[in-house]
Amino acid sequence: GVAMNANRWLGQMGQEPLSEELIAALPKIPVGKGEGVLVEVTGSFQGMSGEAKPGYKLLGAIAEQAGQGIFIKMTGPEATVNAQRDSFLAFCASLQ
């Protein structure tokens, strides 16, 4: 679900989990023909390799549509992700 995945992504960035109330307050964005929540966080990214990468940013969208979960995530150096933010949001909205 939304809370579990948002908090997993926050953990990958070295951040504390959010409460259900804060998860519910995350910004909403268009995802395909519906709506999803936007997770946007900076920190020290630690992926499956276990190596921490400081100065990273994560943009993620989580949507539940027609009984299916949709998860879209982009991570990279903060400046790179910031430069691609509008393209990420457009991609999320373009899904069919």
Side-chain angles (χ1 to χ4, degrees):
V2 173
M4 182 182 76
N5 282 285
N7 281 326
R8 180 171 51 85
W9 291 348
L10 288 166
Q12 290 174 345
M13 297 299 292
Q15 305 298 323
E16 293 295 318
L18 298 177
S19 67
E20 289 288 334
E21 294 79 23
L22 290 175
I23 294 286
L26 288 172
K28 308 298 187 267
I29 62 167
V31 177
K33 295 180 181 180
E35 185 177 77
V37 298
L38 178 65
V39 178
E40 188 166 3
V41 61
T42 58
S44 184
F45 175 69
Q46 185 168 349
M48 296 179 76
S49 71
E51 178 186 345
K53 298 176 181 178
Y56 265 48
K57 184 169 186 168
L58 179 148
L59 280 178
I62 304 170
E64 295 174 341
Q65 297 175 13
Q68 300 287 324
I70 301 170
F71 307 96
I72 309 154
K73 180 174 88 167
M74 178 173 65
T75 57
E78 185 174 3
T80 302
V81 173
N82 285 339
Q84 295 302 315
R85 187 179 190 277
D86 290 342
S87 296
F88 176 85
L89 295 173
F91 173 76
C92 292
S94 76
L95 295 176
Q96 298 287 320

